[in-house]
Amino acid sequence: MSENFFLEKATDPFADTLAAHGLARLLRDVLSRAYQGSLPAVRIVDCGSYYWFQCARPITGDVIDTACRSSFNLTPILVTSKNADAYTGVPDAMKIHYEEQRHITSEYFDWLKALSAEQRRDVMRGDFPTDQRQREPHRHWQRFTALNSPTSLIGYNALAEYWWRAHDAMPQVLGIILDLTSSLPNDVAAAEAAWKELDEQYGWGIKPRRSALQLFNPGQGKGQNRSKADRLSMGNVDGFWLLEWLKAAGFYDGALTRLLKSNDRKTYVLAPVQVDTRFLFSVMKEFDREMLGQETSIRSDILAALRFTRVLLGHIERKEGSGQNTLMARFKRPREVVSGFYTALYKDLGNASATMNLSHIALPGWVVVHTEQEVEEYKQLLEEHEQIIRQFDESHGDDFALLQSYRDFLSGDDLTAFFAFTRGYASYIIGQRERGKRARQLTITGVERLLMNTKSDFSAIVQNEGFRRVAYAIRQSTVTAQWRKQSGDRRYEVRYGLNQELARTAHHPAKFIATLSDFMSKYNAENARVMETREGPYRSSLTTEDVEEIVRLVDEFGSEVVCNLLIAYGYARVPREEEAVTG
């Protein structure tokens, strides 16, 4: 009898975490079958070198026997027109017919394209009449397309078929998995020996070890992979087949895979920190729907992190509203629940694919919630950032650089990368609007919340009245002046390139103060000239106290920090009512 199970991290984070999702899924399935009418929780905790699984109910021999009265279908066999004859003896309940699912998917998207834009929005919101909706694609369709490749299908189906062939001895098979994961370190050699003995008893002819599929083990594909470097040889890495099967099962529960616009494939594996896997499963189902479209590589990473965080907050919000005890009571940052995603990029080579990149994309560390009201505010802020990111075309050099800077910031809370983004984005906004195109601004409240939750020391700068007035002057001379100009009001000059002038001197305090002072002087002179010749309302002018405050801040925090914050605030959007008061 046990309520605790453990899975060592033995290969690479991507593959190990897939196996962890598979074990969590198996434990949940066993418990839900045995305790019918309830959904016993299985909690997963990342303990550094291993994952710890905490079951709300004990798993005993009787529980296993009860759970095995019907077949487990965690890894359906994928049947195509080419391999259908090989699986005629397998029950339909254990199979997915690929061509049938492709037809359903094709019909659905043809129907969707024929709708008006308003009707498509209703479909996405769930407001479209149910009786008029086309049958939706299978939730795992994207996973099926990934599995149906020359390098994956045979190996995956072999694992799925092994599991089905062993159904008569499922209590013993589960016993091997649970014995393997009931203590640390995991004794894989003993599990393989137990499997070999069971296989000989039933005569299946299933060897203990199986080649590791690149789709589930991107860091262990075909190549020179010997643990002892005594010779060079090219070949596949193999592993205990039941652990490989767990990765296949986890692929359905804890992974998201999508074709990019380049026809390359990117797969994301959710990296849990400590969370009830039932909750995680419901979040993943909604997140799956949020990631339907094709994207470019970097944009896909960023949108995955932003959207998953927003969906996670939405689920926390619904739980909180129902009065249930929720994650928010114990954790303030979504990153304390899920760290982010392990990602793998597979390059399309025609009849094969190659792993090109392995990385980790973190959830935004600046999302910190204390109240239900803050949950809603952060959902809006995440939507604001998503709309900004969706403006960029990754095939354009400047847009590519902006996306890279933003992703670097997102993954490591790296404010240097964030300021590189805001400096570049200031030029982007001015350039787009000059060409008559729309460009969204970050909001002052959003920038402030982001900065305060990343580095609280900045509060002394951004809450300083002199800093705020100078940031206001920068805004009035750039994005606001440009908006006035396009509205037919040319009373104020648009200071193109002001962000670049300031940024060039950021590393030199004296030069920065001189450049900023020159701008402030010209700003006040322009204000005085307009007051003499035009009717109000007028812009607020700067004072000598404002200059003194900036100098003091530079002395205390450095010119680079002050410069970056001025640009970030100066090109951000303020609430409409504030603009109306200040002119």
Side-chain angles (χ1 to χ4, degrees):
M1 181 176 72
S2 182
E3 299 172 22
N4 296 285
F5 298 89
F6 312 90
L7 189 63
E8 284 185 288
K9 298 179 182 179
T11 53
D12 65 75
F14 184 101
D16 293 332
T17 307
L18 263 186
H21 283 294
L23 181 57
R25 187 180 180 207
L26 181 64
L27 293 172
R28 278 204 321 273
D29 213 33
V30 168
L31 290 170
S32 64
R33 287 162 176 262
Y35 298 98
Q36 294 183 8
S38 66
L39 290 172
V42 175
R43 184 175 179 78
I44 185 171
V45 181
D46 186 343
C47 296
S49 61
Y50 63 92
Y51 285 106
W52 175 21
F53 304 83
Q54 304 167 331
C55 300
R57 302 281 187 90
I59 295 181
T60 64
D62 289 341
V63 165
I64 293 173
D65 289 340
T66 303
C68 292
R69 288 173 184 169
S70 58
S71 298
F72 288 79
N73 189 24
L74 305 187
T75 51
I77 294 172
L78 197 59
V79 178
T80 68
S81 57
K82 295 180 179 179
N83 67 14
D85 292 343
Y87 303 112
T88 54
V90 178
D92 281 342
M94 299 294 294
K95 296 187 288 191
I96 288 289
H97 293 274
Y98 185 82
E99 274 78 15
E100 178 185 332
Q101 294 301 325
R102 181 169 59 184
H103 179 69
I104 292 170
T105 302
S106 178
E107 282 196 333
Y108 176 80
F109 283 105
D110 286 345
W111 168 76
L112 202 61
K113 288 176 184 176
L115 298 177
S116 66
E118 184 177 352
Q119 287 174 319
R120 283 196 293 272
R121 284 193 293 271
D122 289 342
V123 171
M124 296 306 166
R125 288 194 297 258
D127 297 334
F128 199 84
T130 305
D131 58 345
Q132 298 178 32
R133 290 179 69 102
Q134 186 77 7
R135 182 180 175 183
E136 292 189 3
H138 197 291
R139 188 172 79 84
H140 296 310
W141 168 247
Q142 292 285 349
R143 295 171 181 84
F144 298 153
T145 63
L147 292 167
N148 186 29
S149 71
T151 55
S152 300
L153 184 58
I154 294 175
Y156 165 78
N157 273 351
L159 293 171
E161 187 187 13
Y162 289 173
W163 184 262
W164 171 75
R165 283 164 60 186
H167 69 276
D168 287 339
M170 193 53 63
Q172 296 98 306
V173 176
L174 288 180
I176 292 174
I177 295 175
L178 299 181
D179 284 346
L180 170 65
T181 57
S182 62
S183 62
L184 287 170
N186 299 151
D187 193 343
V188 178
E192 290 180 0
W195 173 261
K196 188 174 181 180
E197 184 177 334
L198 186 65
D199 179 72
E200 290 174 354
Q201 179 184 343
Y202 281 87
W204 296 314
I206 300 173
K207 295 180 180 179
R209 301 188 71 81
R210 180 79 195 179
S211 293
L213 288 178
Q214 185 187 46
L215 184 64
F216 307 144
N217 304 270
Q220 292 184 281
K222 189 173 182 179
Q224 287 107 25
N225 291 284
R226 294 181 64 79
S227 57
K228 182 179 179 182
D230 56 354
R231 64 187 174 89
L232 273 178
S233 63
M234 183 72 73
N236 290 319
V237 176
D238 60 9
F240 181 34
W241 87 266
L242 283 173
L243 288 176
E244 295 304 310
W245 178 85
L246 285 177
K247 294 170 189 176
F251 186 63
Y252 288 100
D253 236 26
L256 175 89
T257 186
R258 291 290 185 270
L259 278 179
L260 302 176
K261 289 182 177 179
S262 61
N263 217 37
D264 299 331
R265 177 170 294 279
K266 185 156 260 188
T267 299
Y268 299 87
V269 176
L270 196 64
V273 177
Q274 40 188 332
V275 64
D276 178 357
T277 57
R278 293 176 308 174
F279 175 82
L280 204 58
F281 176 69
S282 63
V283 175
M284 277 297 288
K285 283 182 67 176
E286 184 175 340
F287 171 65
D288 223 340
R289 294 193 294 270
E290 290 282 327
M291 294 291 289
L292 282 179
Q294 276 190 315
E295 283 292 345
T296 49
S297 182
I298 301 178
R299 259 185 38 155
S300 179
D301 288 351
I302 296 170
L303 293 177
L306 295 177
R307 288 174 179 173
F308 183 86
T309 306
R310 180 163 48 80
V311 171
L312 179 64
L313 290 177
H315 278 255
I316 291 175
E317 186 179 41
R318 289 194 285 275
K319 291 274 188 179
E320 194 71 22
S322 66
Q324 299 180 36
N325 196 14
T326 70
L327 294 170
M328 200 168 69
R330 288 181 297 145
F331 308 113
K332 304 307 177 189
R333 297 177 189 264
R335 195 185 282 185
E336 295 173 349
V337 178
V338 172
S339 70
F341 297 94
Y342 296 112
T343 74
L345 175 64
Y346 305 94
K347 182 67 178 176
D348 176 41
L349 301 177
N351 290 328
S353 61
T355 303
M356 293 298 294
N357 179 261
L358 296 175
S359 63
H360 179 269
I361 179 76
L363 300 191
W366 42 268
V367 176
V368 185
V369 293
H370 299 88
T371 66
E372 290 182 62
Q373 176 62 31
E374 284 187 328
V375 170
E376 185 57 37
E377 289 171 357
Y378 274 111
K379 284 171 59 183
Q380 294 174 7
L381 180 54
L382 290 162
E383 179 64 30
E384 170 192 316
H385 279 239
E386 177 178 334
Q387 289 176 351
I388 287 170
I389 293 303
R390 287 172 59 190
Q391 298 174 116
F392 304 134
D393 183 346
E394 197 167 325
S395 65
H396 295 168
D398 291 343
D399 292 18
F400 180 83
L402 286 170
L403 287 168
Q404 270 196 322
S405 295
Y406 188 93
R407 183 174 63 177
D408 290 345
F409 158 65
L410 197 64
S411 285
D413 291 340
D414 182 358
L415 285 177
T416 300
F418 177 69
F419 290 137
F421 172 79
T422 53
R423 290 195 304 269
Y425 191 52
S427 298
Y428 178 91
I429 292 170
I430 295 295
Q432 288 292 101
R433 291 183 175 180
E434 197 64 21
R435 291 189 287 272
K437 297 181 180 179
R438 187 179 182 187
R440 298 179 180 275
Q441 291 172 260
L442 291 164
T443 59
I444 286 290
T445 52
V447 170
E448 189 162 305
R449 193 182 289 267
L450 181 154
L451 291 172
M452 293 305 96
N453 289 341
T454 306
K455 190 172 176 62
S456 59
D457 293 352
F458 286 162
S459 60
I461 302 175
V462 300
Q463 293 174 8
N464 180 282
E465 285 303 317
F467 171 88
R468 286 180 175 269
R469 283 192 287 269
V470 173
Y472 161 83
I474 292 172
R475 186 180 312 111
Q476 288 291 321
S477 296
T478 54
V479 288
T480 302
Q482 188 182 41
W483 176 81
R484 290 178 184 273
K485 174 185 172 183
Q486 292 173 344
S487 301
D489 181 354
R490 296 175 178 269
R491 73 179 76 180
Y492 296 112
E493 176 189 355
V494 182
R495 290 296 302 270
Y496 298 105
L498 177 59
N499 62 309
Q500 296 166 336
E501 291 175 29
L502 296 174
R504 276 194 293 269
T505 62
H507 297 290
H508 307 282
K511 290 182 179 179
F512 169 67
I513 293 296
T515 302
L516 187 61
S517 297
D518 180 65
F519 157 71
M520 294 164 72
S521 175
K522 290 177 179 177
Y523 171 82
N524 279 349
E526 186 177 35
N527 284 355
R529 186 168 58 253
V530 170
M531 288 178 186
E532 290 178 355
T533 59
R534 301 286 188 95
E535 294 183 353
Y538 303 116
R539 305 186 309 195
S540 300
S541 292
L542 298 169
T543 67
T544 55
E545 286 80 7
D546 297 331
V547 178
E548 291 169 358
E549 285 297 304
I550 293 295
V551 171
R552 186 180 64 79
L553 291 173
V554 168
D555 288 341
E556 184 175 352
F557 296 96
S559 56
E560 188 173 3
V561 169
V562 175
C563 177
N564 284 326
L565 289 173
L566 280 174
I567 293 172
Y569 270 68
Y571 285 80
R573 177 171 58 85
V574 297
R576 291 181 183 275
E577 58 271 19
E578 182 179 334
E579 283 287 2
V581 171
T582 57

